[in-house]
Amino acid sequence: MSGMTVGFIMFAVLLALMVIRIPIGISMFIAGAGGYVYLTGSEVPLMASLKNLAYARLSNYDLVVIPLFLLMGQFATHGGLSRSLFRFVSAFIGHRKGGVAMAAMGACAGFGAICGSSLATAATMGQVVLPELRRYGYAGSLATGTLAAGGTLGIMIPPSVPLIIYAILTQESIGKLFMAAVIPGLLAMIGYMIVIQIIVRRRPEMGPAGERTAWPERIRELIQVGPVLAVFVVVIVGIYAGWATPTEAAAIGAAACGVIAVASGGLRWKGLLESALGTAQATAMIYLVLLGADMLNVSLALSQLPAELASWVQHSGLSPFLVIVAILLVYIFLGCVMDSLAMILLTIPIFYPMVMGLDFYGMSHDDKSIWFGILALMVVEIGLVHPPVGMNVYIINRLAKDVPLTETFKGVLPFLASDFIRIAALVLFPSLALVLVRTFGAL
């Protein structure tokens, strides 16, 4: 068989293993190891490769940033910082129609800025906000749809674990990618708030107004949440301004969140132990998936599948925009069957060479790399809320057991429309992702 045929067979085996519920990391390792043995004609080269595979990947200093950002998110989760964020945003806009739902969206964005995980954002904010939405009589579909969509801001607002993985796979700057994600992330939050306003204007009973908060109380909430906002600013500005490496900034952020959580009285010994255990479990899962992806990618490189596909696309005469739309559709389809991290690890070695070989608005290689990373992240984010998987939907639905799953999926549909509009805007106007990188890069 040709190398390309072997490459496609590896993908078929991978999908088959996932269908029978083999963990994604192990599935990728099995498919990659089988392809490696076939392409080399012996298991001896595979054994020789495995000697260095784990060390070559896990000795990468940049990978330390993942458990540090995860630990920062764990401290924020167990330290009760999510509740402070929600009270702060709700104090300013909760008195409007749909205001409590919009406050939930703003709090999700704020929590995502110190968490980096969509699932953690959805689960944590769901526990905090759902009782408030019920108290004010919000419709079940709007309440659960808001929180499921808001959870996706956990990976859109930097720091973002999938964005870190993309940076490592493509040798891109983590700081530049974080900076590039700021405007698209804010646009996501604003777009979701506009969706909530449209819904409550058409059907006011779905999102009643909350209580108005006096200005002295608003000031107190601002003072309480100030340290959390300062952590985000220090981490992001520190990385991009060159004051600290991403790993150093993540360590500072984790330590600061831990101190804030302890000082606020929200983090005790039990929470500290749960934070450490949660970080270890999530890190182990991510590293296992990384090792499986490395095995698969080595085999794909031997098969020449990525290079052949990139060459075919370049010489096919297809419009670059037709190619990028096709890639985005593949991401949406994959979102039905796998999580965001697996999608990034599986597809970037295939799609990245294709995109880098095409011309988009005359952009440089670095600009294309950053733009495609943000674009891929935005489409991957959709997979967290659209059926039939939609992990965020299932997490929120587990918390709101009185709301049927079909109602929750109906609730996220308007937010998906906002996502598609934002993706189209980024495809047509790459500067939305590049303007901050170009502006601060020139300083």
Side-chain angles (χ1 to χ4, degrees):
M1 290 185 289
S2 69
M4 285 196 65
T5 303
V6 175
F8 284 122
I9 290 175
M10 282 192 285
F11 275 109
V13 171
L14 170 62
L15 292 175
L17 291 172
M18 290 173 57
V19 166
I20 60 175
R21 301 183 68 82
I22 302 295
I24 179 66
I26 298 174
S27 298
M28 287 194 288
F29 189 90
I30 292 173
Y36 197 97
V37 170
Y38 181 87
L39 291 166
T40 58
S42 170
E43 69 278 1
V44 176
L46 174 63
M47 296 296 107
S49 175
L50 290 179
K51 287 192 305 182
N52 302 315
L53 182 69
Y55 179 78
R57 168 53 68 194
L58 300 183
S59 62
N60 187 337
Y61 180 70
D62 288 341
L63 277 180
V64 181
V65 77
I66 293 176
L68 288 172
F69 275 131
L70 290 174
L71 182 61
M72 187 165 76
Q74 288 286 335
F75 283 153
T77 300
H78 294 287
L81 302 183
S82 54
R83 193 174 301 277
S84 298
L85 285 167
F86 173 68
R87 288 202 305 262
F88 164 65
V89 184
S90 184
F92 284 86
I93 62 174
H95 60 280
R96 302 175 181 274
K97 286 189 180 297
V100 181
M102 289 192 292
M105 201 62 75
C108 284
F111 190 76
I114 53 174
C115 176
S117 166
S118 175
L119 301 183
T121 300
T124 303
M125 296 310 303
Q127 294 172 7
V128 171
V129 178
L130 267 176
E132 291 297 307
L133 293 172
R134 284 197 179 104
R135 184 162 73 92
Y136 287 107
Y138 273 64
S141 59
L142 178 59
T144 54
T146 294
L147 290 169
T152 64
L153 297 174
I155 63 172
M156 269 307 303
I157 303 288
S160 165
V161 172
L163 212 52
I164 294 169
I165 297 298
Y166 176 88
I168 292 170
L169 290 176
T170 61
Q171 301 297 304
E172 190 53 75
S173 164
I174 295 176
K176 288 183 178 180
L177 284 167
F178 280 2
M179 186 62 67
V182 169
I183 290 179
L186 292 176
L187 288 176
M189 179 190 71
I190 294 169
Y192 290 161
M193 289 183 173
I194 291 173
V195 166
I196 294 170
Q197 276 294 294
I198 292 173
I199 291 172
V200 297
R201 284 183 183 277
R202 295 185 61 187
R203 298 182 61 184
E205 73 279 3
M206 292 186 69
E211 299 169 359
R212 182 178 290 274
T213 304
W215 272 103
E217 182 65 25
R218 292 178 180 180
I219 299 300
R220 280 195 294 271
E221 295 295 345
L222 175 60
I223 293 172
Q224 286 186 358
V225 84
V228 179
L229 301 177
V231 169
F232 170 73
V233 173
V234 168
V235 169
I236 299 303
V237 175
I239 291 174
Y240 199 74
W243 302 338
T245 66
T247 304
E248 292 167 346
I252 294 169
C257 273
V259 170
I260 293 169
V262 170
S264 65
L267 189 66
R268 295 289 183 262
W269 276 111
K270 182 181 178 183
L272 185 63
L273 292 175
E274 289 177 349
S275 296
L277 181 60
T279 300
Q281 290 173 335
T283 302
M285 181 274 293
I286 291 171
Y287 283 4
L288 177 61
V289 175
L290 276 170
L291 291 176
D294 278 349
M295 184 73 259
L296 182 65
N297 292 337
V298 168
S299 301
L300 288 174
L302 281 177
S303 73
Q304 295 295 305
L305 177 63
E308 291 289 339
L309 285 177
S311 177
W312 177 82
V313 169
Q314 279 185 275
H315 298 94
S316 64
L318 295 173
S319 163
F321 291 98
L322 184 60
V323 174
I324 202 71
V325 168
I327 289 174
L328 298 182
L329 291 175
V330 170
Y331 273 123
I332 292 172
F333 169 75
L334 289 177
C336 296
V337 295
M338 64 178 64
D339 61 48
S340 56
L341 182 61
M343 277 194 279
I344 291 291
L345 287 166
L346 186 62
T347 60
I348 292 304
I350 303 294
F351 293 153
Y352 187 78
M354 290 185 189
V355 174
M356 293 304 103
L358 298 173
D359 178 49
F360 295 93
Y361 305 106
M363 285 190 288
S364 67
H365 181 278
D366 288 346
D367 283 351
K368 272 191 295 186
S369 179
I370 294 170
W371 170 68
F372 180 62
I374 303 303
L375 194 58
L377 183 72
M378 288 170 61
V379 186
V380 162
E381 153 205 343
I382 292 178
L384 294 165
V385 289
H386 80 67
V389 178
M391 289 300 297
N392 280 9
V393 173
Y394 287 97
I395 287 173
I396 296 300
N397 199 253
R398 194 161 52 222
L399 297 173
K401 296 181 179 178
D402 57 321
V403 180
L405 184 62
T406 52
E407 284 298 303
T408 304
F409 273 120
K410 287 180 183 177
V412 301
L413 289 179
F415 298 103
L416 282 175
S418 171
D419 286 331
F420 288 125
I421 292 172
R422 179 163 37 91
I423 290 168
L426 185 59
V427 170
L428 296 174
F429 306 103
S431 291
L432 290 173
L434 300 174
V435 61
L436 290 181
V437 177
R438 291 170 175 170
T439 300
F440 288 95
L443 297 180

